[in-house]
Structure formats: structure tokens, C-alpha cells
Amino acid sequence: MRNQPVKIGLMGLGTVGTGVVRIVQGHQEDLQKQTGLAIEVAKVLVQDKEKERSLSLDKSLITTDAADLFSPDIDVIVEVIGGVHPAKEYILQALDNGKHIVTANKDLMALHGAEILSKAQEKGCDVFYEASVAGGIPILRALVEGFSSDRITQMMGIVNGTTNYIMTKMSQEGAAYEEVLKEAQELGYAETDPTADVEGHDAARKMAILSTLGFHVDMSLEDVDCKGISQVTAEDISYAKKLGYEIKLLGIAKRDDELIEVSVQPTLVHRTHPIASVNGVFNAIYVHGEAVGETMFYGPGAGELPTATAVVSDLVTVVKNMKLGVNGRGSVAPYKEKRLKSDEQIVSRYFLRLIVDDKSGVLAQITSILAEHDVSLEQVLQQPYNEGGQAEIILVTHHASRKNIYSVRDLFEALDSVIEIKSLYRVEGLERK
Ligand code: NAP
Ligand code: HSE
């Protein structure tokens, strides 16, 4: 029976890497009690050896040569450098060298997760990636273990803290998108290049990971229909509130029978739905299972210690597996055929905001197009626009197929009396499963 310490090769000593060192050092006694073994950070890979660090670490542990972490005495690689390359090559090389992997890298797992997990299985190694989705919320473990006896039908997630902070500020203060984005950048929530967050790419990667684990299909990033928040205006949010909704960047993964849809887009969420009240940088994932019904997981989606908690919990699992001699045997590869819904099969409510000529017959033209496409209205608001003989019309539909709603939008656009379609959003959360 092994009793020497488990040695960690830590790749990255930034926000998450620093938190990992702090937790491994600070919680050593608890970790040892739970796993039966000491855990030791034995080597740390960085880019810049001379950089000032916010924790005290023996300088001899720090290296800029990845090969130092592939030496036989290292048991587990914790990858928190981020990005796809060279993280992918490092992880594959580490697996070739028989090392277990813990990573927080959603970009890598969403794009190359299948290849990495298959190599891990071949080599009898563990790969865990809890921190890659929703930082400190143990949602992947909940899907893989907690819901293993159920069949998940729906996951709706606020899985990007930066955009939730922006949407919350816009909603609470009536501020414009650009203004709040600038403030989020000054506060360090949003990156200097905020594209991955605000255009929904970060959330799409997380939804690809969630739906792969939740629905047992090999969901690729291209299967996630993705739209960001950069077009959302303070007016959209104000009308949504009047109608009883908040606008959130929502990841939606639904399964009806064996047909699946996965998307990320700004969505009106009815204020009675628990996800509507998730504010600021917090994340939440609402999960509905056939047997369990409604559940929701809420917490910090990022940050040094919350994210490191998820990383070190994965480490604990690896070490427990080492003690039991069962590494590489726990993961279940996707076992269901991926069958994606067509636009005809994706059905939802929709919110439309139009600027039209304020003259007789215009509303009739609009309602006739809606009727021809079997789109029924639930709410209608109209008011004068710009005092220039124009009107603003806000429509909330009953359930309609995406195919029909897109046809309606295209026909509205072709009407001379429609000046502009300001917005078209999906609406969720009014009726709960
Ligand atoms: P970070 O603060 O930018 O730190 C990155 C670290 O990796 C730095 O120590 C850097 O070295 C090192 N590094 C980068 N490229 C390298 C390379 N090619 N070779 C060697 N070292 C390299 O990043 P982070 O925020 O900790 O994020 C790490 C990972 O966790 C990412 O995958 C991210 O998506 C994920 N994640 C982060 C959070 C969060 O709250 N930050 C939450 C969830 C998931 P230097 O220090 O020398 O520059
Ligand atoms: N940029 C991400 C967010 C960090 O804003 O949620 C955590 O993945």
C-alpha cells in the first residue's frame, strides 16, 4: 500500500494556480485525513520565472520547462495555464507518461475533450475537469454522480459571470451596454478583449461540456447555437421588465424524447423562475430530471479560491482512486446517439420589438403574417416612437417553432411599413416542467 506523498506538477501559477497552492498547503491536514496521503506541489510551470508572485513558494520548484513536470516522480498534472495550445500537447504528453490530469480548461475540454478522455482511458489515467464549468459549483460531479440514476431533460445555465454582471447592472441601473462593459473591464471582471465572454463563446463551451455529460452524447461546440449580449439595449431590458421578465445570457440544453437542442443567447426569463434572480457575477445551473424534477445549483463561477476548490476536489478524487487502484475506470464515454432538433422542432416563446409606420393597416399586415405561420400572440404593447409618425410594437408570442419565427421575421423585414426589427429574443421560464 502506497504511503509516500502524491506529487503534483502544477502547470500555471496565475489566478487559479495560486489558489490551488494556497488550498493544498492550507488544507493539508484535512486533505490527508480524507485521502490517507499527503499531497505535495512538487513542480510549477510558468512562463516568466522572474515574475513577482503573491505567495511564498520555494523558487527551486518553479520552472519554465514543461519536461520537468513529466519526470517519473510526478503523479498528477494540474493544468491551469489555459488556452488550447500548448495545454493540449502537454496533457497528451502527460497521459502518455501515465500521469493523471486535473484541468480547469473549458476551451480545451469543449474542443478536444473526447480525444483527451479516450487517450486517458487507453492509458488507465484519470482526467477530471470540474472547474471548467461554473468555477466553484460542483455541477459536473452532480451530473455524473448525483443524477446518474435519473434522465435529465433540461439544463438552463447562467454560466458566464462577466455577462451576468453586465446584464444585472443594465437591468438595475438602466445603464447602456458599452458603459457597463467599460466598468466591468475597470473592475477586472471583463477582459481587455471581452469577445469570448460577451459574444457567448465562453458560455457555449461550458454548455457543450454540460450537455455531453448530462445527455450522454458527444456534443461538439459547433452543435451549440450561439449569440452574445452585445446587441442587447437598455430599452430591451426595460420592456422585458414591464412584461415581467429579466434578460439573461442563458445557456439552454433541452431533450425531448431523444432529440436535443443546445444554445446560448440573451433570453427573457420570467421573474418567477429561480434563474431570473441570479445576479452579478454569480452562476447558476437549473437542472430538470424526469424523476427528481426541478433542482438548481448556485454559486461563484470564477475567482481564485472558488475555482481552486473545484480543482483540489478533483485532486482528492484522483488520490482516492490511486489508493483504491481504480484510476481511469470511473469515466463513462458518451453512449447515446446524438440527434439534434431541426428548426421546426425547436419550439419556444419569442419576444419581438419592431419600429413601424404608425398608419392604418400595419398591425393587420403584421398579425396576418403571424397567423399564416401559426404564431399566436400572448402579449402586445404599442406606443408612439420618436414623435415622427412611427410606432414601437412589442410582441410576446405563445410557443412557436424557430423555423416559423424566423420566417415571420424575414417577412416583417420585407414590409415597407416595418422600419426596423430592433430585437428578437427567446422567452423562457413562464411554465416550468
Ligand atoms: P492566468 O491568471 O492567466 O494564469 C495563467 C498561468 O499560466 C500563469 O501563471 C502563466 O505564467 C502560465 N502560463 C500561461 N501560458 C503558459 C505557457 N505556454 N507555458 C507555461 N506557463 C504558462 O489564468 P487563470 O485565470 O488562472 O486561468 C487558468 C485556467 O483556469 C484557464 O483555463 C481558465 O479558463 C480556467 N478558469 C479560470 C477561472 C478564473 O476564475 N480565473 C475560473 C474557471 C476556470 P506566468 O505567471 O509566468 O505568466
Ligand atoms: N470569463 C469567465 C466568466 C470566467 O466570466 O464567467 C470563468 O470561466
Side-chain angles (χ1 to χ4, degrees):
M1 178 86 70
R2 175 181 180 136
N3 55 16
Q4 66 269 46
V6 174
K7 296 206 172 187
I8 309 303
L10 177 62
M11 294 186 164
L13 191 58
T15 306
V16 183
T18 301
V20 168
V21 175
R22 283 195 217 283
I23 291 185
V24 167
Q25 289 177 347
H27 300 187
Q28 188 56 230
E29 199 184 323
D30 284 311
L31 296 175
Q32 203 165 337
K33 286 253 157 53
Q34 289 177 57
T35 61
L37 291 173
I39 298 178
E40 185 184 309
V41 176
K43 270 283 167 220
V44 183
L45 177 72
V46 295
Q47 247 172 344
D48 177 2
K49 248 177 129 170
E50 305 313 316
K51 200 189 254 185
E52 193 87 17
R53 307 284 166 183
S54 64
L55 43 65
S56 63
L57 195 65
D58 181 351
K59 281 226 156 40
S60 69
L61 300 186
I62 298 184
T63 179
T64 52
D65 184 358
D68 291 345
L69 281 75
F70 302 134
S71 68
D73 60 317
I74 301 280
D75 301 292
V76 187
I77 292 293
V78 172
E79 183 278 308
V80 284
I81 59 178
V84 174
H85 304 289
K88 180 186 174 196
E89 290 71 24
Y90 287 167
I91 286 179
L92 290 175
Q93 195 173 342
L95 288 169
D96 271 330
N97 286 285
K99 307 202 184 303
H100 309 295
I101 307 291
V102 174
T103 175
N105 196 329
K106 66 243 161 183
D107 307 7
L108 182 60
M109 291 312 289
L111 285 168
H112 301 290
E115 182 184 348
I116 289 169
L117 293 169
S118 136
K119 164 81 89 177
Q121 205 148 39
E122 182 195 318
K123 298 287 173 184
C125 294
D126 281 337
V127 175
F128 292 115
Y129 46 104
E130 181 64 73
S132 65
V133 180
I137 309 174
I139 182 64
L140 302 193
R141 198 162 277 119
L143 293 180
V144 171
E145 291 173 15
F147 290 109
S148 56
S149 59
D150 205 350
R151 301 185 75 232
I152 292 169
T153 54
Q154 190 177 334
M155 290 172 278
M156 292 210 295
I158 293 179
V159 287
N160 183 272
T162 306
T163 47
N164 202 43
Y165 173 84
I166 295 172
M167 299 312 291
T168 303
K169 276 274 183 179
M170 286 175 73
S171 171
Q172 291 177 349
E173 297 173 10
Y177 167 77
E178 287 78 14
E179 196 183 310
V180 183
L181 172 61
K182 192 163 166 278
E183 189 190 315
Q185 285 171 318
E186 282 160 9
L187 286 169
Y189 292 143
E191 308 268 346
T192 318
D193 176 3
T195 314
D197 289 327
V198 301
E199 295 309 336
H201 307 154
D202 175 79
R205 290 166 196 147
K206 292 166 178 168
M207 291 310 295
I209 295 172
L210 286 178
S211 42
T212 296
L213 294 177
F215 297 146
H216 307 291
V217 296
D218 185 5
M219 190 65 63
S220 73
L221 196 51
E222 298 87 67
D223 299 325
V224 184
D225 189 52
C226 175
K227 190 167 175 241
I229 60 163
S230 55
Q231 306 300 315
V232 178
T233 63
E235 291 76 32
D236 290 333
I237 291 179
S238 162
Y239 282 119
K241 279 163 89 91
K242 267 189 204 151
L243 297 166
Y245 296 89
E246 292 291 339
I247 302 187
K248 297 287 183 190
L249 182 69
L250 201 64
I252 300 172
K254 283 189 181 176
R255 178 179 67 76
D256 288 295
D257 297 324
E258 293 311 320
L259 289 175
I260 287 170
E261 56 170 291
V262 187
S263 61
V264 169
Q265 71 251 280
T267 304
L268 272 74
V269 184
H270 197 261
R271 68 165 68 104
T272 55
H273 195 284
I275 217 143
S277 54
V278 175
N279 287 325
V281 291
F282 278 95
N283 282 200
I285 301 104
Y286 167 92
V287 182
H288 184 276
E290 281 178 2
V292 73
E294 292 184 299
T295 63
M296 194 158 106
F297 300 80
Y298 171 87
E304 179 185 308
L305 292 177
T307 311
T309 306
V311 171
V312 180
S313 297
D314 278 348
L315 255 176
V316 166
T317 309
V318 172
V319 178
K320 284 180 176 171
N321 286 350
M322 286 169 76
K323 284 213 77 171
L324 294 169
V326 296
N327 296 101
R329 298 206 216 142
S331 76
V332 179
Y335 58 87
K336 288 195 175 168
E337 186 195 349
K338 180 173 65 183
R339 290 175 58 206
L340 298 176
K341 290 184 192 174
S342 66
D343 273 4
E344 263 170 303
Q345 290 163 324
I346 294 176
V347 172
S348 175
R349 293 168 184 272
Y350 287 92
F351 166 102
L352 270 148
R353 184 157 78 89
L354 321 171
I355 308 299
V356 300
D357 284 330
D358 193 2
K359 58 185 189 197
S360 63
V362 172
L363 203 53
Q365 284 180 316
I366 286 172
T367 51
S368 129
I369 290 174
L370 289 166
E372 279 160 22
H373 291 83
D374 201 21
V375 179
S376 160
L377 291 176
E378 194 222 17
Q379 295 187 74
V380 183
L381 265 181
Q382 181 180 328
Q383 61 182 45
Y385 184 76
N386 273 353
E387 296 166 5
Q390 294 172 354
E392 183 164 35
I393 299 180
I394 289 97
L395 310 172
V396 179
T397 74
H398 285 294
H399 282 96
S401 73
R402 185 156 85 177
K403 178 170 185 278
N404 282 353
I405 213 77
Y406 283 179
S407 301
V408 162
R409 177 198 57 193
D410 294 346
L411 288 168
F412 283 175
E413 249 161 10
L415 287 176
D416 287 342
S417 53
V418 172
I419 316 290
E420 190 183 354
I421 299 182
K422 285 276 189 190
S423 35
L424 169 61
Y425 298 123
R426 191 166 163 152
V427 176
E428 288 289 334
L430 193 54
E431 58 280 288
R432 314 250 286 273
K433 285 229 183 190

